[in-house]
Amino acid sequence: GAVVSQHPSWVICKSGTSVKIECRSLDFQATTMFWYRQFPKQSLMLMATSNEGSKATYEQGVEKDKFLINHASLTLSTLTVTSAHPEDSSFYICSARAGQLASGRYEQYFGPGTRLTVT
Amino acid sequence: SQQGEEDPQALSIQEGENATMNCSYKTSINNLQWYRQNSGRGLVHLILIRSNEREKHSGRLRVTLDTSKKSSSLLITASRAADTASYFCATDRTGGGNKLTFGTGTQLKVEL
Protein backbone atom coordinates (compact mmCIF):
# COMPACT_ATOMS: atom_id res chain seq x y z
CA GLY A 1 0.00 0.00 0.00
CA ALA A 2 0.92 3.64 -0.23
CA VAL A 3 3.32 5.04 2.34
CA VAL A 4 3.27 8.37 4.09
CA SER A 5 6.24 9.38 6.20
CA GLN A 6 6.64 12.06 8.82
CA HIS A 7 9.78 13.64 10.13
CA PRO A 8 10.72 13.91 12.87
CA SER A 9 8.90 11.14 14.71
CA TRP A 10 9.36 13.03 17.94
CA VAL A 11 10.73 16.42 18.92
CA ILE A 12 11.30 18.32 22.13
CA CYS A 13 11.62 22.05 21.94
CA LYS A 14 11.73 25.00 24.27
CA SER A 15 8.82 27.33 24.72
CA GLY A 16 8.92 30.20 22.24
CA THR A 17 10.76 28.36 19.52
CA SER A 18 9.33 27.11 16.22
CA VAL A 19 9.19 23.53 15.04
CA LYS A 20 8.73 22.22 11.51
CA ILE A 21 7.18 18.83 10.80
CA GLU A 22 7.42 17.27 7.35
CA CYS A 23 4.93 14.95 5.74
CA ARG A 24 5.84 13.10 2.57
CA SER A 25 3.96 10.75 0.32
CA LEU A 26 6.64 8.32 -0.74
CA ASP A 27 5.20 6.46 -3.69
CA PHE A 28 2.28 8.52 -4.89
CA GLN A 29 1.33 12.09 -5.60
CA ALA A 30 -0.96 13.63 -3.03
CA THR A 31 -3.22 16.33 -4.31
CA THR A 32 -4.45 17.01 -0.82
CA MET A 33 -2.88 16.61 2.58
CA PHE A 34 -4.53 16.86 5.96
CA TRP A 35 -3.06 17.72 9.34
CA TYR A 36 -4.55 16.39 12.54
CA ARG A 37 -3.62 16.74 16.18
CA GLN A 38 -4.36 14.23 18.85
CA PHE A 39 -4.18 14.66 22.61
CA PRO A 40 -3.51 11.62 24.81
CA LYS A 41 -6.36 9.13 24.80
CA GLN A 42 -8.43 11.40 22.59
CA SER A 43 -9.56 11.44 19.01
CA LEU A 44 -7.95 13.03 16.00
CA MET A 45 -9.00 16.60 15.38
CA LEU A 46 -8.61 17.97 11.87
CA MET A 47 -6.55 21.13 11.89
CA ALA A 48 -6.29 22.03 8.24
CA THR A 49 -6.49 20.83 4.67
CA SER A 50 -3.83 21.77 2.19
CA ASN A 51 -3.85 21.49 -1.55
CA GLU A 52 -0.64 21.65 -3.53
CA GLY A 53 0.16 25.16 -4.62
CA SER A 54 -2.62 26.89 -2.74
CA LYS A 55 -3.27 28.21 0.75
CA ALA A 56 -4.36 25.80 3.42
CA THR A 57 -7.92 25.77 4.68
CA TYR A 58 -8.02 25.82 8.46
CA GLU A 59 -10.72 24.38 10.64
CA GLN A 60 -12.60 26.63 12.99
CA GLY A 61 -10.60 27.51 16.06
CA VAL A 62 -7.19 26.70 14.56
CA GLU A 63 -4.86 29.69 14.40
CA LYS A 64 -3.41 29.91 10.92
CA ASP A 65 -0.63 32.24 12.02
CA LYS A 66 0.46 29.78 14.66
CA PHE A 67 0.23 26.62 12.60
CA LEU A 68 1.80 27.44 9.25
CA ILE A 69 1.17 24.92 6.53
CA ASN A 70 3.03 24.77 3.27
CA HIS A 71 2.24 22.30 0.51
CA ALA A 72 5.12 22.96 -1.83
CA SER A 73 4.83 19.89 -4.01
CA LEU A 74 2.61 16.90 -4.65
CA THR A 75 4.70 14.83 -2.26
CA LEU A 76 5.54 17.23 0.55
CA SER A 77 3.61 19.25 3.08
CA THR A 78 5.06 20.93 6.14
CA LEU A 79 3.48 22.09 9.38
CA THR A 80 5.36 24.70 11.36
CA VAL A 81 4.31 25.34 14.92
CA THR A 82 5.43 28.89 15.60
CA SER A 83 6.27 30.25 19.03
CA ALA A 84 5.43 26.93 20.58
CA HIS A 85 3.99 26.73 24.07
CA PRO A 86 3.53 23.74 26.39
CA GLU A 87 -0.16 23.56 25.45
CA ASP A 88 0.92 22.84 21.86
CA SER A 89 2.41 19.57 23.03
CA SER A 90 0.51 16.91 21.17
CA PHE A 91 0.69 14.14 18.60
CA TYR A 92 0.49 15.55 15.08
CA ILE A 93 -0.59 13.25 12.29
CA CYS A 94 -0.65 14.00 8.60
CA SER A 95 -2.66 12.25 5.96
CA ALA A 96 -2.23 12.28 2.21
CA ARG A 97 -4.98 11.74 -0.27
CA ALA A 98 -4.36 10.05 -3.58
CA GLY A 99 -6.49 10.22 -6.67
CA GLN A 100 -10.16 9.49 -6.98
CA LEU A 101 -11.22 5.90 -7.39
CA ALA A 102 -13.93 4.73 -9.75
CA SER A 103 -16.19 4.46 -6.70
CA GLY A 104 -15.80 8.18 -6.14
CA ARG A 105 -13.88 7.63 -2.96
CA TYR A 106 -10.40 8.94 -2.43
CA GLU A 107 -7.72 6.77 -0.94
CA GLN A 108 -6.34 8.43 2.15
CA TYR A 109 -3.18 7.31 3.89
CA PHE A 110 -1.91 8.32 7.30
CA GLY A 111 1.59 9.05 8.47
CA PRO A 112 3.02 7.55 11.66
CA GLY A 113 2.70 10.79 13.58
CA THR A 114 5.06 13.24 15.27
CA ARG A 115 5.07 13.68 19.01
CA LEU A 116 5.83 17.26 19.97
CA THR A 117 6.77 18.14 23.52
CA VAL A 118 7.24 21.78 24.39
CA THR A 119 9.09 22.44 27.64
CA SER B 1 -16.65 19.49 15.97
CA GLN B 2 -16.81 15.83 16.90
CA GLN B 3 -18.96 13.95 14.43
CA GLY B 4 -18.78 10.52 15.94
CA GLU B 5 -19.33 9.26 19.40
CA GLU B 6 -18.13 5.81 20.18
CA ASP B 7 -19.01 3.44 22.93
CA PRO B 8 -17.76 1.95 24.96
CA GLN B 9 -14.85 4.29 25.61
CA ALA B 10 -12.89 1.33 26.91
CA LEU B 11 -13.38 -2.39 26.58
CA SER B 12 -11.46 -5.21 28.22
CA ILE B 13 -12.02 -8.79 27.14
CA GLN B 14 -10.32 -12.15 27.22
CA GLU B 15 -8.55 -13.59 24.22
CA GLY B 16 -10.95 -15.58 22.08
CA GLU B 17 -13.97 -13.47 22.95
CA ASN B 18 -15.70 -11.16 20.51
CA ALA B 19 -15.39 -7.39 20.80
CA THR B 20 -18.12 -5.03 19.66
CA MET B 21 -17.68 -1.30 19.32
CA ASN B 22 -20.33 1.18 18.31
CA CYS B 23 -20.18 4.52 16.57
CA SER B 24 -22.91 7.10 16.22
CA TYR B 25 -22.79 10.16 13.99
CA LYS B 26 -24.91 13.18 13.32
CA THR B 27 -25.02 14.08 9.65
CA SER B 28 -25.55 12.23 6.39
CA ILE B 29 -22.49 10.45 5.07
CA ASN B 30 -20.93 9.12 1.88
CA ASN B 31 -19.15 6.37 3.77
CA LEU B 32 -17.91 5.39 7.19
CA GLN B 33 -14.49 3.98 7.89
CA TRP B 34 -12.90 2.19 10.80
CA TYR B 35 -9.29 2.68 11.79
CA ARG B 36 -7.00 1.10 14.32
CA GLN B 37 -4.26 2.88 16.24
CA ASN B 38 -1.67 1.24 18.38
CA SER B 39 -0.44 3.33 21.28
CA GLY B 40 1.55 6.31 20.06
CA ARG B 41 1.46 5.21 16.45
CA GLY B 42 -0.27 6.20 13.25
CA LEU B 43 -3.58 4.96 11.94
CA VAL B 44 -4.22 1.78 10.03
CA HIS B 45 -7.26 1.62 7.77
CA LEU B 46 -9.40 -1.42 8.54
CA ILE B 47 -12.56 -1.26 6.52
CA LEU B 48 -14.85 1.13 4.66
CA ILE B 49 -18.60 0.80 4.33
CA ARG B 50 -20.58 2.94 1.92
CA SER B 51 -23.82 4.62 2.84
CA ASN B 52 -25.80 2.21 0.66
CA GLU B 53 -24.27 -0.84 2.29
CA ARG B 54 -25.54 -2.46 5.46
CA GLU B 55 -22.86 -4.97 6.31
CA LYS B 56 -19.32 -5.72 5.30
CA HIS B 57 -16.79 -8.36 6.27
CA SER B 58 -13.01 -8.47 6.21
CA GLY B 59 -11.34 -11.41 7.87
CA ARG B 60 -12.32 -11.36 11.53
CA LEU B 61 -13.94 -7.96 11.17
CA ARG B 62 -17.62 -7.33 10.59
CA VAL B 63 -18.99 -3.84 10.17
CA THR B 64 -22.62 -2.87 10.07
CA LEU B 65 -24.14 0.44 9.13
CA ASP B 66 -27.63 1.69 9.92
CA THR B 67 -28.09 5.05 8.24
CA SER B 68 -31.59 5.47 9.68
CA LYS B 69 -30.11 5.38 13.18
CA LYS B 70 -26.87 7.02 12.07
CA SER B 71 -24.85 4.32 13.71
CA SER B 72 -22.27 1.69 12.89
CA SER B 73 -20.72 -1.19 14.74
CA LEU B 74 -17.41 -2.98 14.45
CA LEU B 75 -17.24 -6.59 15.57
CA ILE B 76 -13.92 -8.32 16.02
CA THR B 77 -14.39 -12.05 16.36
CA ALA B 78 -12.08 -14.43 18.18
CA SER B 79 -10.00 -11.57 19.51
CA ARG B 80 -6.27 -11.85 20.06
CA ALA B 81 -3.90 -10.03 22.37
CA ALA B 82 -2.47 -8.36 19.26
CA ASP B 83 -5.86 -6.70 18.67
CA THR B 84 -5.21 -4.49 21.69
CA ALA B 85 -5.39 -0.95 20.31
CA SER B 86 -7.66 2.05 19.97
CA TYR B 87 -10.34 1.85 17.31
CA PHE B 88 -11.83 4.91 15.64
CA CYS B 89 -14.69 5.37 13.29
CA ALA B 90 -14.41 8.17 10.76
CA THR B 91 -17.14 9.60 8.61
CA ASP B 92 -16.89 11.05 5.15
CA ARG B 93 -19.77 13.49 5.39
CA THR B 94 -21.97 14.37 2.46
CA GLY B 95 -20.81 17.70 1.12
CA GLY B 96 -17.81 17.59 3.43
CA GLY B 97 -15.19 17.69 0.71
CA ASN B 98 -14.12 14.12 1.42
CA LYS B 99 -12.65 15.19 4.74
CA LEU B 100 -12.76 12.55 7.43
CA THR B 101 -14.20 13.35 10.84
CA PHE B 102 -13.14 10.99 13.58
CA GLY B 103 -15.10 9.57 16.47
CA THR B 104 -13.98 9.57 20.05
CA GLY B 105 -12.52 6.08 19.87
CA THR B 106 -12.74 2.85 21.84
CA GLN B 107 -9.70 1.55 23.68
CA LEU B 108 -9.73 -2.22 23.41
CA LYS B 109 -7.62 -4.40 25.64
CA VAL B 110 -7.47 -8.10 24.96
CA GLU B 111 -6.01 -10.08 27.82
CA LEU B 112 -4.43 -13.49 27.63
Side-chain angles (χ1 to χ4, degrees):
Chain A
V3 177
V4 175
S5 71
Q6 280 184 242
H7 178 80
S9 55
W10 60 270
V11 58
I12 301 172
C13 71
K14 291 187 176 180
S15 188
T17 61
S18 294
V19 174
K20 180 185 285 188
I21 303 170
E22 291 187 349
C23 175
R24 293 181 185 272
S25 55
L26 297 185
D27 49 3
F28 67 99
Q29 292 187 327
T31 53
T32 303
M33 287 188 173
F34 304 90
W35 286 95
Y36 296 83
R37 71 185 294 182
Q38 182 181 32
F39 291 107
K41 298 189 185 301
Q42 293 189 28
S43 186
L44 280 73
M45 299 299 294
L46 180 64
M47 298 175 66
T49 303
S50 74
N51 293 295
E52 185 263 338
S54 63
K55 290 184 179 180
T57 302
Y58 291 81
E59 295 298 302
Q60 193 172 10
V62 178
E63 300 175 59
K64 62 180 182 180
D65 294 330
K66 181 167 184 62
F67 298 100
L68 301 178
I69 292 173
N70 183 276
H71 194 156
S73 74
L74 286 171
T75 59
L76 173 64
S77 176
T78 61
L79 167 67
T80 301
V81 183
T82 62
S83 186
H85 288 100
E87 56 264 32
D88 298 325
S89 298
S90 189
F91 194 52
Y92 292 87
I93 302 175
C94 75
S95 175
R97 191 168 76 185
Q100 189 174 18
L101 302 175
S103 62
R105 182 176 72 85
Y106 292 87
E107 291 285 355
Q108 189 166 337
Y109 304 96
F110 286 82
T114 296
R115 183 158 305 283
L116 169 64
T117 302
V118 184
T119 61
Chain B
S1 62
Q2 199 66 265
Q3 162 79 320
E5 298 289 331
E6 293 180 61
D7 76 272
Q9 288 188 331
L11 179 61
S12 183
I13 59 175
Q14 297 294 312
E15 199 171 48
E17 294 180 337
N18 296 341
T20 300
M21 290 160 265
N22 303 296
C23 168
S24 60
Y25 57 92
K26 297 176 183 175
T27 64
S28 62
I29 60 173
N30 296 316
N31 62 71
L32 185 145
Q33 303 175 39
W34 284 90
Y35 288 83
R36 166 197 169 120
Q37 183 182 37
N38 287 79
S39 181
R41 307 290 292 275
L43 272 73
V44 175
H45 182 265
L46 295 177
I47 198 166
L48 177 149
I49 187 165
R50 296 194 193 93
S51 60
N52 61 353
E53 296 176 313
R54 292 296 166 259
E55 188 170 311
K56 205 161 184 180
H57 297 254
S58 176
R60 292 184 296 113
L61 306 180
R62 182 172 79 95
V63 168
T64 63
L65 178 65
D66 187 335
T67 53
S68 66
K69 295 181 180 178
K70 290 188 169 58
S71 68
S72 174
S73 68
L74 170 67
L75 168 67
I76 303 175
T77 60
S79 62
R80 305 166 182 166
D83 294 329
T84 295
S86 291
Y87 292 83
F88 295 93
C89 67
T91 52
D92 177 352
R93 293 180 290 178
T94 305
N98 291 119
K99 293 187 293 187
L100 292 178
T101 304
F102 284 81
T104 51
T106 294
Q107 293 184 45
L108 173 65
K109 183 175 182 180
V110 182
E111 300 185 85
L112 293 170

